[in-house]
Amino acid sequence: MNNDNAQLSPEALRRIDREVAKYPAEQKQSAVMAALVIAQDEKGWLPKETIAAVAEYLGMAPMAAYEVASFYNMYDLQPVGKYKITVCTNLPCALSGGVHAAEYVKTKLGIDFNETTADGKFTLKEGECMGACGDAPVMLVNNKRMCSFMLPEQIDKLLAECK
Amino acid sequence: MALIDTINPLLTTGWAKGDAGWGIKEYEARGGYRQLRRVLESKMTQDDLIAEVKKSVLRGRGGAGFPTGLKWSFMPKAAPVKYVVCNTDEGEPGTFKDRDLMRFDPHAVIEGMIIAGYAVGAKAGYNYIHGEIFETYQRFEEALDQARAAGYLGNNVLGSEFSFDLFAHHGWGAYICGEETGLLESIEGKKGQPRYKPPFPANFGLYGKPTTINNTETFAAIPFILGMGGEAYLNLGKPNNGGTKLFSVSGHVNRPGNFEVPMGTPFSKLLEMAGGMRGGRKLKAVIPGGSSAPVLPAEIMMECTMDYDSIAKAGSMLGSGAVIVMDETVCMVKALERLSYFYYEESCGQCTPCREGSGWLYRVVHRIEHGEGRPEDLDLLNRVTDNMMGKTICALADAAAFPVRSFIKHFKSEFEYHIENKKCLVDPETQRMGSGFFKAGAV
Ligand SMILES: Cc1cc2nc3c(=O)[nH]c(=O)nc-3n(C[C@H](O)[C@H](O)[C@H](O)COP(=O)(O)O)c2cc1C
Ligand code: SF4
Ligand code: FES
């Protein structure tokens, strides 16, 4: 990949600046988590070069940014499908169908966890507790949209909506 | 939307309108920010304020139940820079109360944090919000803008000498950041690996400065405590267990959701509020305080009241107030396998007993569940937990050990059956129907 592709758009940099402003002036590194999210939103995932570009912008070592990117589960260090669906299968959800919902999605899409459909549309992930166990089964679409009470009909509807 | 039902509503008074009641106008209309104004206008002293919180016997709602007033009093008076941090990382399986507090009453959290900032002499605060709840994070950012515009945040709050600003920090998927020092590392832009203690955050916290860190529900209770007075708040609950508490009830009940009840309410009453057992089936076991708390069998649980002391006496913990209800369709080996996987997956890896021990626990429970268990495995599991508990930097290792020990202690015959017969005691079709995902006869 050439380095120009790793660079972030002016809009992304503006959003990162807003995050930097939340912290004391000498603590720019505090914004790295948010900056990596902004970069991931823009690029679809986080190639090493993009992580390095974020690190450079915040004045930190590329390795320090890479450590963060690899520690937190929701950063994608590999390309993912257009829709990344994360299903919570932890026990409280499983009691109300979390595991069964994941099985249902697997069958419908013909993929297992950590796989992407051949058309590049869907990636399926197994998630941990999302703090929404009362709404089980729950799923997260592209890290940001929480879907509640996902019984078969609701799953069918969600998958059909994802164009 | 979450179902709610309350006795003596306090924290949940603002929830009645659901998504329409969270804004600053609505909050002010129900008495919001009045306590902050009173504290500032009366120039209440920090000592008096902390004394009032001590009187309420409010105990931290994040899991450990540490007295909040006492924690605040540990902050060094003279330090020039101090912080207040709110823990909304809510990732303890079964817990979903802080998300609803933040969705339906974010200004109560903000007011509580500003008052805490005044009490401990901090000029800035951060609220660390769980990665998976982006919409809630966005709403909180909006609420902060509203509070800033109204003069509750920023320089000279409401024209007083006191200045305080507050920011939201969004997590991105790591249970360990719920541990308070892992959380501070994370705000500093690092891996969320917990720190050795001591020093405690009150002396060496965010950016090395004295820091008070509390759970979301703890902060949200503060305006109500000041409103009614510490003593009246204490009297809502029972001695040593002040006030009301949110319980997140999940699993095999008819109406999962958050319920606010006075401390000391019988578990049977809480179960009734949650609509009773799904399909009228029989209660088998309850994890009363989030997945890290020891499981209790039905007969013991039905005798408990919902407060720190009663649940501790029964051999478990009130923890975060997450009540995970399991009926007779549950295979306890499979349930434990999933929890053990969680701790193995979420261990941050810096302590050998936790990193290796959590892997051992998961692999051994996994092999029992999959018909490859050995007669000596139950002893092995207990031995591994002996080598984890109390031997690590943070309590995640203990949190991984408690479920294993308690599941084996109370449901030993089910584990033995699994090892001997290489299958579940509860037949697979019964287990499958228990979740309610599949309609009878369909799919
Ligand atoms: C592994 C682990 C996870 C934790 N997760 C949370 C959490 O999600 N939310 C929380 O408030 N406290 C959590 N805690 C407890 C915090 O470390 C801390 O005790 C708490 O935030 C203090 O606030 P409180 O005194 O108001 O309860 C966790 C502790 C451990 C060891
Ligand atoms: S006990 Fe586990 S999670 Fe806690 S610091 Fe040690 S390795 Fe990390
Ligand atoms: S266990 Fe799935 S959201 Fe909590």
Side-chain angles (χ1 to χ4, degrees), chain A residues 19 21-24 27 29-34 37 40-41 60 64 67-68 71-76 88-104 126-135 137 140 142-146 148-153 155, chain B residues 1 83 90-96 99 126 128 130-135 137 141 167-174 176-177 186-193 207 250-252 256 278 287 324-326 330 335 338-339 341-342 345-346 348 431-432 434-439 443:
Chain A
E19 295 295 330
K22 292 178 177 176
Y23 307 96
Q27 303 290 352
Q29 178 169 343
S30 282
V32 68
M33 291 183 69
V37 173
Q40 175 166 301
D41 283 351
M60 59 194 282
E67 265 189 356
V68 169
F71 186 82
Y72 299 90
N73 294 331
M74 289 157 66
Y75 294 115
D76 295 313
C88 176
T89 60
N90 207 313
L91 179 64
C93 273
L95 296 174
S96 293
V99 173
H100 295 144
E103 278 170 18
Y104 186 81
E126 180 168 36
E128 292 302 345
C129 181
M130 299 171 181
C133 339
D135 300 353
L140 208 53
N142 289 342
N143 304 318
K144 292 190 173 172
R145 177 176 161 212
M146 174 96 69
S148 303
F149 305 108
M150 299 303 282
L151 293 172
E153 310 88 87
I155 295 175
Chain B
M1 198 186 108
Y83 293 103
E90 197 169 54
E92 172 82 2
T95 321
F96 48 92
R99 172 176 176 240
Y126 293 91
Y128 190 102
H130 196 213
E132 283 82 348
I133 52 171
F134 177 73
E135 288 121 332
Y137 164 75
E141 288 273 31
F167 306 94
H169 184 103
H170 194 197
W172 207 240
I176 194 57
C177 291
S186 186
I187 299 184
E188 293 182 6
K190 304 174 192 154
K191 293 183 287 187
Q193 290 189 321
Y207 309 125
S250 65
H252 291 148
R278 194 189 293 156
I287 304 179
I324 307 168
V325 178
M326 293 178 270
V330 174
R338 186 60 183 85
L339 292 182
Y341 175 76
F342 170 71
E345 170 70 28
E346 298 294 331
C348 83
Q431 289 184 46
R432 200 176 113 93
S435 82
F437 184 81
F438 301 107
K439 289 203 190 85
V443 190

Side-chain angles (χ1 to χ4, degrees), chain A residues 44-45 76 78-85 111 115-125 141-142:
Chain A
W45 63 291
D76 295 313
Q78 302 291 329
V80 291
K82 187 171 173 201
Y83 299 99
K84 179 174 87 167
I85 299 185
I111 53 173
E115 290 180 354
T116 299
T117 51
D119 60 3
K121 207 159 122 183
F122 292 104
T123 299
L124 187 62
K125 294 266 177 189
V141 181
N142 289 342

Side-chain angles (χ1 to χ4, degrees), chain B residues 60-62 71 87 89-91 175 178-180 213-215 218 395:
Chain B
R61 304 304 196 215
K71 183 185 273 191
N87 189 342
D89 196 38
E90 197 169 54
Y175 168 63
E179 196 281 339
E180 56 190 20
I213 172 160
N214 280 118
N215 172 256
T218 311

Side-chain angles (χ1 to χ4, degrees), chain B residues 7-209:
Chain B
I7 312 178
N8 289 351
L10 210 60
L11 293 169
T12 49
T13 37
W15 297 16
K17 287 194 200 156
D19 280 319
W22 70 270
I24 195 163
K25 291 259 144 32
E26 289 76 7
Y27 184 63
E28 286 171 332
R30 52 179 183 262
Y33 288 115
R34 208 176 286 163
Q35 297 310 316
L36 173 64
R37 195 177 289 277
R38 182 169 72 88
V39 165
L40 294 176
E41 283 174 359
S42 68
K43 298 200 164 67
M44 196 187 270
T45 67
Q46 295 176 326
D47 288 342
D48 285 351
L49 184 43
I50 293 177
E52 199 63 38
V53 175
K54 279 188 179 162
K55 249 193 251 164
S56 74
V57 197
L58 170 67
R59 293 171 60 172
R61 304 304 196 215
F66 193 83
T68 304
L70 189 61
K71 183 185 273 191
W72 291 8
S73 71
F74 292 156
M75 289 286 276
K77 281 239 152 82
V81 180
K82 299 179 237 183
Y83 293 103
V84 171
V85 171
C86 178
N87 189 342
T88 311
D89 196 38
E90 197 169 54
E92 172 82 2
T95 321
F96 48 92
K97 64 188 178 65
D98 297 337
R99 172 176 176 240
D100 277 357
L101 263 174
M102 293 273 289
R103 284 156 92 193
F104 304 134
D105 213 9
H107 286 286
V109 181
I110 296 173
E111 185 178 4
M113 286 191 74
I114 303 172
I115 293 172
Y118 179 89
V120 303
K123 291 191 191 64
Y126 293 91
N127 187 358
Y128 190 102
I129 301 170
H130 196 213
E132 283 82 348
I133 52 171
F134 177 73
E135 288 121 332
T136 308
Y137 164 75
Q138 267 189 319
R139 174 171 297 175
F140 192 74
E141 288 273 31
E142 259 186 81
L144 287 176
D145 288 342
Q146 293 176 342
R148 222 168 266 132
Y152 298 120
L153 288 174
N155 286 333
N156 306 98
V157 174
L158 296 176
S160 71
E161 309 270 271
F162 173 64
S163 298
F164 186 81
D165 214 341
L166 183 54
F167 306 94
H169 184 103
H170 194 197
W172 207 240
Y175 168 63
I176 194 57
C177 291
E179 196 281 339
E180 56 190 20
T181 58
L183 185 152
L184 296 175
E185 289 285 301
S186 186
I187 299 184
E188 293 182 6
K190 304 174 192 154
K191 293 183 287 187
Q193 290 189 321
R195 301 172 180 168
Y196 282 100
K197 284 177 273 188
F200 290 95
N203 288 304
F204 189 92
L206 184 61
Y207 309 125
K209 309 291 185 220

